[in-house]
Amino acid sequence: MAWDVWRLLIRLGVGFMFASSGWGKLGKLPAFIDDFHGWGVSAAPLLAPMTAGVELIAGVLLMVGLVSRLAAGALAGTMVGALALVVVPALGVDATDPTTFFSHLAYTPEFLLLGLLGVTIVTGPGRISVQGMKRLARTGTRWAILASL
């Protein structure tokens, strides 16, 4: 049960970060599109709103624990894109020295979020989630999760 609580906390924290970030980006979409242009993305008018929408929708899905692995995978894709387009070029570290490069990369929020998303992709949302409640309802132990709290 303790592991389910940790998975819930990871989903809530990471999901909220992405949902609020996506909401903010959608609210300032022209500036976000300009950022994409600055990063050298030629399809910025298409990809910027799509990225913001993925962050918002997948972040909410992650928080409630519905299609969590799919949501975490979509968010991981945005983090890989952010790492490739923004973070790694901005590190300013010589990539020929792997030790220095990876030690700098490991401290970036995008890299850490990617790791937390990996936890949800690998382990799933846990019992304290919409998916977990659906699974318990199918097995006839609908209230088992509440009794175990």
Side-chain angles (χ1 to χ4, degrees), residues 56-136:
L56 174 62
I57 294 167
V60 170
L61 290 172
L62 194 61
M63 284 191 291
V64 298
L66 187 60
V67 293
S68 300
R69 285 185 165 121
L70 180 65
L75 293 169
T78 66
M79 286 298 91
V80 169
L83 284 166
L85 292 173
V86 182
V87 176
V88 170
L91 280 177
V93 177
D94 182 14
T96 59
D97 177 13
T99 304
T100 304
F101 176 75
F102 285 112
S103 66
H104 283 81
L105 182 65
Y107 283 100
T108 63
E110 293 82 2
F111 188 78
L112 298 173
L113 284 169
L114 191 57
L116 290 171
L117 290 165
V119 169
T120 300
I121 292 169
V122 172
T123 66
R127 290 178 286 185
I128 310 171
S129 65
V130 171
Q131 282 175 248
M133 297 292 185
K134 283 182 169 183
R135 192 174 307 115
L136 288 173

Side-chain angles (χ1 to χ4, degrees), residues 1 127 132-149:
M1 186 59 172
R127 290 178 286 185
M133 297 292 185
K134 283 182 169 183
R135 192 174 307 115
L136 288 173
R138 280 194 306 269
T139 62
T141 54
R142 183 175 303 186
W143 303 106
I145 190 75
L146 296 175
S148 66
L149 290 178

